[in-house]
Amino acid sequence: MRFLLDAEQRAFAASLDALLTAADTPKAVRAWGRGEHGPGRALWLRLADAGVFALAVPEAYDGLGLRPVDLAVAFVELGRHAVPGPVVETVTAAALIREPGPAKRLLPALAAGGSVATVAYQGAYALDGDLADVRLSLAPDGLRLAPGHDAVRASLDPARRLTRLRPGGELLGAGPPAPEALLLARLTTAAQALGVGLALLDRTVAYVRQRTQFGVPVGSFQAVRHRLADARTALEFARPLVLGAAVTMAPADVAAAKVSACEAAYATARTALQLHGAIGYTEEYDLSLWLTRARALRTAWGTPQECRAQVLAARA
Amino acid sequence: MDLALTREEEAFRAEARAWLDAHVPAVAPPSLETAQGFAAHRAWEAELAAGGWSVVDWPARYGGRDCGLIRWLLFEEEYYAAGAPGRVNQNGISLLAPTLLEHGTEEQRTRVLPPMARGETVWAQAWSEPEAGSDLAALRSRAVRADGGWRLSGQKTWSSRAAFADRAFGLFRSDPDAAKPHQGLTYVMFDLRAPGVTVRPIGRLDGKPAFAELFLDEVFVPDEDVIGAPGQGWRIAMSTAANERGLTLRSPGRFLASAERLHALWRERGGPPEEGARVADALIGARAYQLFTYGAACRFLAGERLGPESSLNKLFWSEYDIALHETALDLLGEEGERADTDWAERYVFSLAGPIYAGTNEIQRDIVAERLLGLPKGRR
Ligand SMILES: Cc1cc2nc3c(=O)[nH]c(=O)nc-3n(C[C@H](O)[C@H](O)[C@H](O)COP(=O)(O)OP(=O)(O)OC[C@H]3O[C@@H](n4cnc5c(N)ncnc54)[C@H](O)[C@@H]3O)c2cc1C
C-alpha cells in the first residue's frame, strides 16, 4: 500500500496551481457569468495543454487514458481557483463517448481543449449548454447529441449557467450510459468541491490574520480560531475519501467522497462568510465566487441524500 | 497511489483473523472498568500474548512481531471486527511503551516491556492533577532527591483504571526554581502499591469504579525508574503525547467495526429512513478515518514526522465517536435508555473523548496556531 500522491502527481498539482494563479481566474469567472466566454476559453486551452482533459480520453483518440487519481488531483486545483465552465461535464463526456465513430470525431478536440462539452440527464439542467460545442443528453434509449438548448437560467452561482437540452438528436451510443463515466462526474465534482473548500479556508485564514478589531487580529479570538480548526478538520478528512474513491472507483466510495467533500466545503463556506463579516456578503469581493460555488456543487451530480442512499445500498 | 496490500500483508491479516476467530471469547467479559472485568481482561491479555498478538508492532525481543505500522492497522481492523475485548493496558501500550522505546534505557525496556505485553503489569497514566488539567505544566506534585532515587509527594487525579492497575507513569516537579513551568519536571514510573500511595476510586458517569485519584506521600522511586534525564520530563512526555492523540491511541479498526454494528442495528430495526443519513454518515466517517490513517502511516513510513496533524485526528475521532453512539441510542428508542447494553457502555465512554488526551478546545488551538498559522490567542 502506498496511499500517497507520487512526486509526479504533486508536481502536476503545483503546476496547475501556478498556471491558474497567473491567469487571473476571478476575472474569467466573472466574465463567464455575464456570458463572455473569451477569457474562460483561453484558460480552458491552457488547462488542456497541461493535460487536464486528456486524462479522461483514451490514448487512441489523443488522450492519456482514463486516470481518475490524476483527474481528482487536477480538479482539486480547478476548484481552488474557481475555474468556470463545464469542466466536470467535459471529462464525463470524454468517458461516455465509446462508439468508435463518434469517439474519433469528437474526442481529440475535447482532449485538446478546442471543444467544450456538457452532459445532463434528459430533462435536467445542463451546465453551460449555451456555450458547449458538444451537448450530450442521457436519454432513456442511449446517449444523444442534443440539437440545442432552451433559455439560460441563472444559478445561485453566477458563473454556472443552467440550460435544458432539447430532446432528440443523433444517437451516439445505445443503451445505458457507462457507469464509470457517471462515477467520474461525481468524483470530479467532489474533488472540485474539496478545492473550493480549501480556497475558502485559505482566504479566510489570510483575512482573519490581517483584519483587526479591538486592537488585535480577529484571528486571535478563540471563537474564530476554533471554527477554522473545525473547517480544516472536515476538509482534511474529505481529502482521503476523494483520493481513495479515485483509486477504487467503487460507487459507494465515490458517493462517500461526494457527500463528505461537499458538506465540508459547504460548512467551510458558512464559516468563511461569517468570519469575513459584511465584506464577505458582497458580490464585488472575490470570496463570493467560492461561496456560491460551494452551494451549487452540493447538489450537482448527486445530492447528499442520493449519495448517502448509495452508501447504504452498497452494503444491503 | 494505491491501496493494494501485498501478499504478505494479506497473509498476515488472514493469520490474525484465524487466530482471533479461534480465541475471541464467545461471551464478552464484564466491563474492564470493574474489578471482575479487569481480572478477566488481564487474562485475555495473557492469552493474546501467548499467541503473539498483544503488541504486534513492537520489536520481537520485547514480545512483539516487529510488523510495522500497516500490519498493526490491519491487525486492529481484524481485532475489532472480531468483537475482541477492549485493551486494559492501552495506556501502557500506546503511551509508556513508545516513550521507553524512544527515551528509555535498554535495562528499562527489558524490565518493563515484556510483562506489559503479557498483561502482568497494567499501567496507569498519572499526568493530570486537580489544579493542572489543560494547563498541565502547572502541575505541583514534587519529586525530591533522595538517596539512590527520588521521593514523590502530591496528588494526581483522573487516572484511568488506576483503581486496579499495578504501576503508573507521570510527571513531577523536581526543580521548583526553574525559570518556566515546563522546565524542572521529571518523568518517572512508580508502583501503585508502594508505601505512601493511596488510591481512591472515582466513579465515572456510569458509576464504574476504575477511574481514580492518587495521593502520594514521600513515595520512594529508585533512579532506574526515571525516564530520560531529570528535568527533561516535559519534552519527553510531549514527544509521545502525539501518539495518544494521533495514530496509536485510536486506530480505525474500532470505528469501522462500530459503524458496521450501527448499520446492522439500523437494518435490524427495519432501516428507518429518517435515521438513514446518520447511519450513512457513520459509515462514511469510518472510511474517512481509515483512509486518513493509511495516508498518515504511509507518510510516516516514507520518513515524515507526524506533528500537529495528530490534533486533527483527535478532533475527528472524538466527535465522530459521539455522533455514532448517539445515533445508536436514538435507533434503540426506549431501549436506548437501558444502562446494561454494550451500546450504553460505549456511549458513556464516547462522551469523554473530547475531554481526555487533551480537550478538543486545546486541540483546536493547536490546529489554529500550528497548522493554520493564526496568531496566538490568550491562554
Ligand atoms: C475518561 C477520562 C479519562 C482520563 N484519563 C486520564 C488518565 O489516565 N491520566 C491523566 O493524567 N488524565 C486523564 N484524564 C484527564 C484529562 O486529561 C483532563 O480531564 C483534561 O486534560 C482536561 O483537564 P480538566 O479536566 O482539568 O479540564 P480543564 O482544563 O479545567 O478545562 C475545563 C474546560 O475549559 C476548557 N479550557 C481550558 N483551557 C482552555 C483554553 N486555553 N482555551 C479554551 N478552553 C479551555 C477545556 O477545554 C474544558 O472544556 C482523563 C479524563 C477523562 C474524562
Side-chain angles (χ1 to χ4, degrees):
Chain A
M1 178 193 311
R2 199 178 152 81
F3 192 54
L4 288 180
L5 293 177
D6 61 33
E8 208 176 312
Q9 287 162 333
R10 289 200 304 268
F12 180 46
S15 73
L16 289 176
D17 183 33
L19 181 166
L20 292 165
T21 304
D24 197 3
T25 327
K27 205 162 152 204
V29 184
R30 291 180 185 283
W32 192 278
R34 293 191 298 271
E36 298 159 17
H37 296 125
R41 295 280 308 223
L43 196 58
W44 199 279
L45 280 171
R46 303 189 59 185
L47 290 171
D49 275 350
V52 170
F53 302 111
L55 290 170
V57 173
E59 283 165 89
Y61 307 109
D62 302 348
L64 296 165
L66 185 59
R67 283 160 59 175
V69 174
D70 302 78
L71 275 169
V73 168
F75 273 73
V76 170
E77 296 309 314
L78 303 193
R80 285 205 326 129
H81 291 276
V83 167
V87 279
V88 164
E89 290 70 15
T90 294
V91 297
T92 306
L96 273 170
I97 300 172
R98 294 292 187 79
E99 294 293 321
K104 202 162 170 209
R105 172 154 56 96
L106 299 171
L107 293 187
L110 288 182
S115 107
V116 169
T118 192
V119 191
Y121 287 99
Q122 191 176 332
Y125 288 123
L127 189 61
D128 296 305
D130 57 330
L131 134 114
D133 309 291
V134 177
R135 299 182 199 92
L136 299 182
S137 162
L138 294 160
D141 60 344
L143 184 68
R144 284 185 177 274
L145 197 56
H149 65 90
D150 292 348
V152 173
R153 294 212 175 82
S155 153
L156 279 171
D157 175 4
R160 285 172 63 92
R161 301 165 60 83
L162 305 177
T163 48
R164 280 196 217 281
L165 303 182
R166 302 240 164 86
E170 182 193 341
L171 196 64
L172 297 181
E180 37 321 355
L182 296 177
L183 285 177
L184 201 60
R186 196 169 270 183
L187 175 75
T188 47
T189 304
Q192 199 185 2
L194 174 60
V196 166
L198 293 169
L200 286 162
L201 177 63
D202 282 353
R203 298 180 72 90
T204 308
V205 165
Y207 183 77
V208 301
R209 282 163 60 98
Q210 55 90 14
R211 170 74 175 169
T212 63
Q213 289 292 289
F214 304 98
V216 293
V218 295
S220 63
F221 297 125
Q222 212 168 42
V224 168
R225 292 147 58 91
H226 286 191
R227 277 192 82 159
L228 291 169
D230 284 342
R232 171 76 180 244
T233 306
L235 292 166
E236 287 306 331
F237 280 85
R239 189 198 301 269
L241 283 176
V242 169
L243 293 173
V247 170
T248 68
M249 285 304 263
D253 284 348
V254 174
K258 173 74 170 58
V259 186
S260 90
C262 288
E263 297 297 285
Y266 184 62
T268 305
R270 293 279 323 280
T271 292
L273 174 56
Q274 184 63 27
L275 299 189
H276 274 78
I279 194 160
Y281 195 69
T282 63
E283 184 188 17
E284 65 194 48
Y285 192 67
D286 280 346
L287 189 76
S288 68
L289 308 180
W290 286 271
L291 288 175
T292 53
R293 187 72 48 86
R295 177 67 232 183
L297 293 179
R298 222 170 152 226
T299 43
W301 294 107
T303 62
Q305 199 181 4
E306 285 160 357
C307 291
R308 288 185 172 113
Q310 179 117 50
V311 168
L312 292 172
R315 42 192 87 221
Chain B
M1 159 166 279
D2 70 60
L3 284 164
L5 298 180
T6 63
R7 197 162 331 131
E8 292 74 26
E9 285 163 347
E10 291 288 10
F12 173 87
R13 188 199 267 284
E15 190 192 344
R17 180 177 302 173
W19 190 89
L20 289 161
D21 271 356
H23 290 83
V24 169
V27 179
S31 164
L32 61 80
E33 306 289 339
T34 63
Q36 200 197 358
F38 204 87
H41 280 75
R42 224 191 244 278
W44 167 246
E45 289 293 319
E47 193 172 342
L48 268 177
W53 295 105
S54 69
V55 285
V56 289
D57 53 323
W58 286 13
R61 66 183 181 284
Y62 308 127
R65 295 184 177 218
D66 240 332
C67 75
L69 214 42
I70 300 289
R71 279 174 220 215
W72 173 73
L73 287 168
L74 299 178
F75 170 72
E76 292 257 311
E77 285 178 17
E78 292 304 321
Y79 188 88
Y80 288 103
R87 301 296 300 272
V88 69
N89 222 352
Q90 176 101 254
N91 278 328
I93 292 169
S94 76
L95 278 171
L96 179 59
T99 308
L100 290 178
L101 289 170
E102 202 177 327
H103 302 280
T105 63
E106 185 54 25
E107 184 279 323
Q108 286 172 331
R109 291 194 279 255
T110 43
R111 175 163 52 92
V112 171
L113 295 181
M116 184 194 294
R118 294 189 297 266
E120 288 161 19
T121 319
V122 176
W123 290 83
Q125 177 197 13
W127 285 20
S128 304
E129 295 185 6
E131 306 300 326
S134 299
D135 185 10
L136 180 63
L139 65 87
R140 296 202 291 229
S141 293
R142 300 179 310 281
V144 176
R145 204 77 183 96
D147 201 19
W150 299 79
R151 288 202 181 273
L152 311 179
S153 297
Q155 186 185 351
K156 293 284 176 181
T157 191
W158 314 131
S159 196
S160 292
R161 296 179 280 283
F164 309 122
D166 308 295
R167 305 200 76 204
F169 53 94
L171 288 166
F172 291 83
R173 191 165 299 287
S174 50
D175 177 5
D177 303 321
K180 291 203 174 131
H182 304 77
Q183 294 163 358
L185 300 177
T186 295
Y187 205 5
V188 301
M189 300 178 277
F190 60 95
D191 206 318
L192 284 168
R193 300 194 190 95
V197 180
T198 308
V199 178
R200 188 186 77 88
I202 306 169
R204 306 194 308 179
L205 215 48
D206 58 5
K208 300 215 170 76
F211 220 21
E213 61 186 331
L214 315 173
F215 299 91
L216 304 161
D217 180 15
E218 305 266 310
V219 179
F220 180 75
V221 173
D223 280 327
E224 65 256 29
D225 278 343
V226 171
I227 307 173
Q232 294 299 305
W234 184 261
R235 197 178 55 80
I236 294 165
M238 289 308 120
S239 84
T240 46
N243 281 307
E244 186 176 20
R245 300 193 278 271
L247 278 176
T248 55
L249 181 67
R250 291 286 174 266
S251 72
R254 163 196 307 239
F255 302 115
L256 288 163
S258 296
E260 293 299 340
R261 267 197 299 271
L262 179 71
H263 182 253
L265 179 69
W266 177 72
R267 301 268 306 180
E268 216 175 278
R269 300 261 143 179
E274 64 281 8
E275 303 290 1
R278 295 167 72 192
V279 174
D281 283 345
L283 293 165
I284 294 169
R287 177 74 171 158
Y289 189 63
Q290 179 188 38
L291 293 175
F292 184 93
T293 308
Y294 285 168
C298 290
R299 283 206 312 279
F300 183 79
L301 294 172
E304 257 182 67
R305 243 190 111 69
L306 303 178
E309 307 88 277
S310 61
S311 294
L312 295 172
N313 262 47
K314 203 263 160 166
L315 284 169
F316 186 85
W317 64 248
S318 57
E319 303 287 356
Y320 170 85
D321 204 23
I322 294 181
L324 184 148
H325 286 92
E326 281 173 341
T327 306
L329 294 202
D330 288 349
L331 271 170
L332 286 167
E334 193 185 36
E335 295 289 304
E337 189 183 331
R338 280 177 48 180
D340 59 350
T341 64
D342 279 359
W343 283 116
E345 163 134 12
R346 293 199 177 100
Y347 165 73
V348 171
F349 185 59
S350 76
L351 292 177
I355 299 172
Y356 66 79
T359 71
N360 283 12
E361 286 72 28
I362 299 299
Q363 304 314 312
R364 289 188 178 96
D365 274 344
I366 294 172
V367 172
E369 276 168 33
R370 309 219 351 237
L371 292 178
L372 297 176
L374 290 171
K376 273 197 186 301
R378 258 175 66 90
R379 276 285 167 83

